[in-house]
Amino acid sequence: MLALAACAQGTAPRQEVLATGIANGWAIAPLPDQRFVLSERAGKLWLLDGKGQKQSELSGVPPVDFGGQGGLLDVVADSQFASNRRIYFCYAEPGSEKGTNSTALATGRIARDERSLEDVKVLFSQRPKVKSSAHFGCRIAEARDGTLFLSLGDRYSRRNDAQTLDNHHGKLIRIAKDGSVPADNPYAARKDALPEIYSHGHRNSQGLTIAPDGKLWLHEHGPQGGDEINLPQPGKNYGWPVITYGEEYGGGKIGESTQKAGLEQPLHYWVPSIAPSGMTFVSGERYGAAWKGNLLIGALKGRHLARLEIKDGKVLAEHKLYAQTGDRIRDVRQGADGLVYLLTDGPDGKLIRLQP
């Protein structure tokens, strides 16, 4: 953990509010033509114009279990969107037994009329479904090889499942775009493990992004303290709930300690928690040399934007931005124009562009 570096007054980009009145927005997916796709947790998927205004609602979203932390959550555009018009989205999928649900990942193609999704397919459903309204995880990232990563929460009441390989709770999974399991997944050939699993021992990841060098970065919520950044590797165990820098809500030890042989240490962690959500790297130069290569993370509880200076895969310094606005930042994305966009949380959320 690093001491928080103070951001000099006036150095942060100016916030330009593009839209208000967003009802519990969760994610914004930048498109190559500088438009966006926006998800609202109640199950609505919107196409936004280049100014961030709602252009049309996209019908065809599968049934969504909206409540608690659940609903329609992350959305990303395919790397070949310009030619295939395909998006991927994840959501709380209702089960056949009343009150049960789990995280699912689906894909669809935006129709030419830009009012519906076509060829909608569910690519993955987390197993087992349980009665819970918490810890869905549900961030998506497309790797350079075209495979898809999806973060899966431990469902809160099933945290010990994060340490076993016969379920999808507290896991990071990797699949192909058709839903099949890549042959080089770490457990693809094992009969005692679910083949989609890439890494395990995670709590509730709401941040997943590919760095400019192609490496996958993940952050996850700790309990009371212990939010983490990890660089997931195939077959590795990231410790939850055996090791953690957090504690039970209201106090009390969790697990064995903060470290244990065979379990991975976080690259970076926060005590107290900031409740991280959304994450992106600044790959361009729109904000100058000081920001290029920085990692930006939204903070829900912290109500700020964290700017982390990264060098050689390590966090050198952390800057706390926009705390004075009091916004819970749900998503952080870099648009096709090289500018950064923030989505705030709540029934009257905002879409914000950071102007250099």
Side-chain angles (χ1 to χ4, degrees):
M1 192 171 78
L2 297 173
L4 193 66
C7 182
Q9 189 174 7
T11 59
R14 176 177 62 86
Q15 288 193 358
E16 178 189 7
V17 178
L18 299 180
T20 59
I22 297 171
N24 300 110
W26 214 87
I28 43 170
L31 302 180
D33 61 4
Q34 299 190 22
R35 294 188 295 171
F36 304 88
V37 177
L38 163 74
S39 64
E40 291 180 334
R41 281 203 302 116
K44 293 189 175 185
L45 200 61
W46 297 91
L47 184 62
L48 306 184
D49 64 22
K51 296 181 180 179
Q53 302 302 304
K54 288 180 177 177
Q55 181 177 326
S56 59
E57 183 180 353
L58 299 172
S59 63
V61 176
V64 168
D65 193 353
F66 173 49
Q69 297 174 5
L72 180 59
L73 303 176
D74 203 15
V75 58
V76 301
D78 188 281
S79 59
Q80 303 302 311
F81 180 88
S83 59
N84 64 22
R85 302 177 63 83
R86 188 161 290 281
I87 63 170
Y88 303 93
F89 54 96
C90 59
Y91 58 99
E93 179 185 54
S96 57
E97 182 183 348
K98 185 178 180 181
T100 62
N101 53 41
S102 70
T103 301
L105 172 64
T107 184
R109 184 175 59 247
I110 296 179
R112 290 295 173 182
D113 65 5
E114 298 189 335
R115 294 185 176 278
S116 63
L117 293 179
E118 302 173 328
D119 191 28
V120 176
K121 299 176 182 177
V122 177
L123 301 177
F124 169 84
S125 292
Q126 182 185 34
R127 304 200 309 268
K129 284 182 163 54
V130 297
K131 292 183 177 180
S132 174
S133 62
H135 292 199
F136 293 90
C138 208
R139 284 290 181 190
I140 308 164
E142 180 183 342
R144 285 183 175 177
D145 64 3
T147 57
L148 300 174
F149 287 99
L150 174 68
S151 65
L152 299 169
D154 66 357
R155 306 312 315 279
Y156 187 71
S157 60
R158 300 289 292 265
R159 68 188 187 189
N160 291 329
D161 285 0
Q163 286 296 312
T164 57
L165 300 174
D166 60 351
N167 65 82
H168 293 126
H169 296 153
K171 309 299 192 299
L172 177 69
I173 64 117
R174 176 177 177 253
I175 60 172
K177 289 181 180 179
D178 62 359
S180 63
V181 176
D184 59 348
N185 266 13
Y187 304 110
R190 280 179 50 172
K191 295 182 178 180
D192 61 343
L194 296 182
E196 301 90 351
I197 296 172
Y198 187 80
S199 61
H200 62 292
H202 302 291
R203 184 173 183 265
N204 186 30
S205 171
Q206 293 183 17
L208 199 62
T209 193
I210 304 295
D213 63 2
K215 291 182 180 178
L216 180 71
W217 289 58
L218 171 151
H219 71 56
E220 55 190 288
H221 286 242
Q224 187 168 276
D227 300 340
E228 296 181 359
I229 296 177
N230 290 295
L231 274 64
Q233 298 296 312
K236 297 291 187 180
N237 183 345
Y238 289 84
W240 175 256
V242 179
I243 60 171
T244 177
Y245 287 89
E247 61 181 12
E248 298 283 8
Y249 294 111
K253 184 180 178 182
I254 298 175
E256 299 178 13
S257 65
T258 58
Q259 300 183 40
K260 185 178 180 179
L263 303 181
E264 303 301 310
Q265 281 291 297
L267 175 74
H268 184 71
Y269 66 92
W270 289 271
V271 176
S273 292
I274 65 168
S277 186
M279 174 167 63
T280 194
F281 278 91
V282 180
S283 61
E285 299 184 359
R286 296 296 301 270
Y287 302 100
W291 277 53
K292 187 174 182 180
N294 284 191
L295 183 63
L296 304 181
I297 296 174
L300 294 168
K301 181 182 177 183
R303 296 178 182 264
H304 66 270
L305 179 69
R307 177 171 73 89
L308 278 62
E309 297 180 39
I310 307 294
K311 185 176 182 181
D312 299 328
K314 296 181 180 180
V315 179
L316 299 184
E318 181 175 350
H319 307 268
K320 186 176 178 180
L321 310 179
Y322 310 120
Q324 71 278 6
T325 66
D327 289 323
R328 286 167 49 88
I329 298 176
R330 173 61 71 181
D331 200 14
V332 186
R333 302 286 175 107
Q334 182 175 272
D337 56 4
L339 297 179
V340 172
Y341 293 79
L342 310 179
L343 181 66
T344 69
D345 187 57
D348 186 19
K350 295 179 288 187
L351 178 61
I352 299 169
R353 179 164 55 200
L354 300 188
Q355 288 287 8

